Amino acid sequence: MKNLPKSISFIIPIYNEENKLKKLLREILKFKKKYKNIKSEFILVNDGSKDNTGNMLKNLFNKQKFIKILNLKKNYGKGYALKKGVFIANNELIITIDADLSVKFNQIFIWQNNYNISGGNEVYFASRNHKLSKVKFKVYRKLIGLILSVFIYLLVDKKLRDTQCGFKLYSYKIGKKIFKKLNIKGFSHDIEIIFLLKKMKVKILELPINWTHKSGSKVNLFIEPIYFILIIIFLKFKYSLI
């Protein structure tokens, strides 16, 4: 395997995930054991969970020195949780990844082995719509994704095929800059990230992934898409004035 990074920070937003935490810990430990020569840290941001997530994080994860836990007092939203996590990241590469692990931690090494990941003035988005991606979708999620992609095509970027996949890779420098300026707190934060990257003239590259649908999404599939579209319109207007 070539071009292995020297160090990685994984940022994992968590909200009411008590049923997924034991598996998450197993996968983290498996990753650390397999890639022990790579410096890695896992930053788990508890976004004001109302179930037993907080206690489980304390009891299961606190013994691991390479795991950092942030407990937010209330539920702010995925974008805000990621922002807080990125603030304390210390490593060469910053990767955002969802707690359900619909994309695995080792996806970074598949990318490194097949693509020229420079870590320079570029950001890498996992794309479920890439022709080389291996994806297991639920039909209704695919339909909603197609509807939202139309608005992204018309108002955000005609080249991007998937903006909402949680697996994204930033260099330390770019990740810190982008999330410092991020204002959108909810799941549509990805759209503001795109506008911020465009403003900074940072290139976005979409790469293929292995992605499997996991049940238990916290996104309201009826209300959130409407809010998402309104946010796109708001951000398009906002950044056209800057």
Side-chain angles (χ1 to χ4, degrees):
M1 190 174 289
K2 60 183 180 180
N3 299 324
L4 288 177
K6 295 179 181 179
S7 60
I8 308 171
S9 294
F10 289 100
I11 316 298
I12 310 171
I14 295 176
Y15 179 63
N16 292 348
E17 301 285 10
E18 61 180 5
N19 294 326
K20 298 186 176 80
L21 293 182
K22 289 183 178 179
K23 179 181 178 181
L24 177 61
L25 178 59
R26 287 198 302 269
E27 292 300 320
I28 289 175
L29 295 178
K30 185 189 302 183
F31 179 93
K32 289 293 293 187
K33 183 178 180 179
K34 185 173 182 179
Y35 303 103
K36 56 186 176 182
N37 294 327
I38 296 174
K39 180 183 177 185
S40 58
E41 65 177 359
F42 299 79
I43 301 174
L44 281 57
V45 186
N46 177 18
D47 188 23
S49 295
K50 296 177 176 62
D51 61 2
N52 198 38
T53 291
N55 289 329
M56 291 186 69
L57 287 173
K58 181 179 179 180
N59 295 329
L60 291 175
F61 292 83
N62 268 352
K63 296 179 181 179
Q64 310 298 336
K65 294 182 179 179
F66 49 84
I67 298 177
K68 299 177 182 178
I69 299 173
L70 292 180
N71 286 297
L72 305 184
K73 292 182 179 180
K74 65 177 183 178
N75 177 231
Y76 289 93
K78 184 178 180 180
Y80 187 84
L82 289 174
K83 181 173 183 172
K84 288 296 185 181
V86 170
F87 277 172
I88 65 171
N90 293 315
N91 291 335
E92 173 190 7
L93 299 180
I94 294 175
I95 296 176
T96 62
I97 182 170
D98 292 337
D100 64 7
L101 299 182
S102 51
V103 181
K104 302 295 185 183
F105 292 119
N106 67 352
Q107 182 68 56
I108 173 58
F109 300 124
I110 297 174
W111 282 1
Q112 290 281 2
N113 203 39
N114 291 286
Y115 302 95
N116 183 25
I117 305 293
S118 68
N121 197 42
E122 297 173 336
V123 167
Y124 302 88
F125 283 17
S127 175
R128 291 162 292 188
N129 295 320
H130 193 287
K131 63 181 180 180
L132 297 179
S133 289
K134 297 177 181 178
V135 175
K136 295 180 180 180
F137 265 114
K138 293 292 184 180
V139 175
Y140 65 89
R141 290 185 67 91
K142 180 70 171 178
L143 178 60
I144 292 172
L146 288 173
I147 294 172
L148 295 180
S149 67
V150 172
F151 287 89
I152 293 168
Y153 177 85
L154 293 174
L155 298 174
V156 182
D157 192 312
K158 290 182 170 59
K159 296 180 180 179
L160 294 178
R161 295 169 58 86
D162 185 5
T163 63
Q164 299 310 113
C165 184
F167 195 91
K168 294 179 172 66
L169 185 156
Y170 308 83
S171 68
Y172 176 90
K173 182 178 179 180
I174 291 176
K176 293 286 185 175
K177 281 187 176 181
I178 289 298
F179 281 90
K180 183 178 181 179
K181 295 178 180 293
L182 184 69
N183 291 308
I184 298 297
K185 296 180 179 180
F187 91 109
S188 51
H189 71 279
D190 302 272
I191 301 302
E192 186 174 22
I193 285 176
I194 294 168
F195 281 110
L196 288 168
L197 290 171
K198 286 176 174 290
K199 182 182 177 184
M200 291 173 54
K201 301 188 184 309
V202 175
K203 188 175 182 180
I204 302 172
L205 297 177
E206 289 189 300
L207 296 179
I209 51 162
N210 298 320
W211 187 93
T212 302
H213 169 81
K214 304 291 184 179
S215 59
S217 172
K218 306 304 184 300
V219 176
N220 187 309
L221 294 177
F222 298 98
I223 297 175
E224 292 290 356
I226 297 173
Y227 177 73
F228 183 84
I229 293 168
L230 293 175
I231 288 292
I232 291 177
I233 296 170
F234 165 75
L235 291 173
K236 178 70 174 178
F237 178 74
K238 174 183 176 180
Y239 283 94
S240 66
L241 297 177
I242 297 177

